[in-house]
Amino acid sequence: MWVEPLGLIEGQAAAAALAADLALPLAGGPLAFTLVRLIGPDAPTTALPLSDVPEAWHAQVLALTRALPHFAGLPMPCEGGRPLVMGIVNVTPDSFSDGGRGIAESIAAGHAMLEAGADLLDIGGESTRPGSQPVAPEEECRRVLPVIRELAKAATISIDTRNAATMLAALEAGAEIVNDITALRHDPAAARVLARSEASVILMHMLGEDPRTMQQNPRYGDVALEVAQFLADRVSAAERLGLPRGRLAVDPGIGFGKRLPHNLALIERLPLLAGIGCPIVFGASRKRFLGTLSGVETPAERVPASVAAALAAASRGAAMLRVHDVAETVQALSIWQALSGGAEEEDL
């Protein structure tokens, strides 16, 4: 049984609807929803105004309004209601967009992102683009640990890895978040490492467990519902393994085992994930489907398309945006925030 928030509004419209009891706040943030779609046995087939929701569903509807706890010490969303911006630092020779950085270049890139307004950084040493080859944890650690040790002095750091050995070494080097594209399915030791730590964890949806094969004819019935159910199941599995829900975030895995229609459906129905009760992480930066839509072949030239996708996610309840282009995203969010009524008067 799922409740999908619909009719999202923001700013003065949200404030007026909330005051008139015509809307409810989404996850305690700046957005409000006025309608819901109930998904389950014998559920109505059409969207309902809140006043028409059957009593049996009231608890699930109200669960959508609960404010999110801090994630790795960071507010969700950040002050003023905008999503946090996570800068991507790939210490790899073969990442699809920004591969080829060495250790010194990666450290410099991380500092530049922080100066541009990034709230945290996601550091990875293994490319997971479609068809990519796996990297041994020893090589992964060689790439990322010097970068983590340096940048952890200045910011909250996430390690993008599916390997337990890399997770452990990265946490010892100063990382506070583990971002696992396999949602703790790849390495059986990962959950034990994380349960013994205080790390926060991002669980992502990927079709299968191997980036080399994830794009081989991906098929779904209802992609949004299937991804939501997968992530809810992985959150429950993580809790059973000793990771409390307050340390977990979820990511629909845009581009990971999805074709263009799947990605668009996941963005459009992103609020469905709010029912899990964890922060929603969104990463579409420079991805291939944006190039398909925009006609831009080179990933590094997909900045406007990436910003557009980030704003679409922000307006649908994303709590964290994982991006390559920090300055452009922060600038766009500041305008979105002001237009939605989130900016303080002294800032205007």
Side-chain angles (χ1 to χ4, degrees), residues 84-101:
L84 271 67
V85 175
M86 171 190 276
I88 301 170
V89 181
N90 288 320
V91 197
T92 60
D94 57 345
S95 289
F96 81 99
S97 176
D98 56 353
R101 284 193 190 129

Side-chain angles (χ1 to χ4, degrees), residues 10 15 34 44 78 135 149 182 220 249 283 291 298 307 311 314 316:
E10 56 194 41
T34 58
C78 73
V135 173
R149 290 191 188 101
T182 71
Y220 301 89
T298 304
V307 171
L311 290 177
R316 289 166 172 80

Side-chain angles (χ1 to χ4, degrees), residues 88-95 98-111 123-125 139-148 150-151:
I88 301 170
V89 181
N90 288 320
V91 197
T92 60
D94 57 345
S95 289
D98 56 353
R101 284 193 190 129
I103 290 172
E105 292 171 305
S106 297
I107 292 171
H111 282 302
I123 300 173
E139 173 61 18
E140 194 179 21
C141 287
R142 186 195 67 78
R143 295 174 181 179
V144 301
L145 294 184
V147 180
I148 292 172
E150 184 60 31
L151 292 176

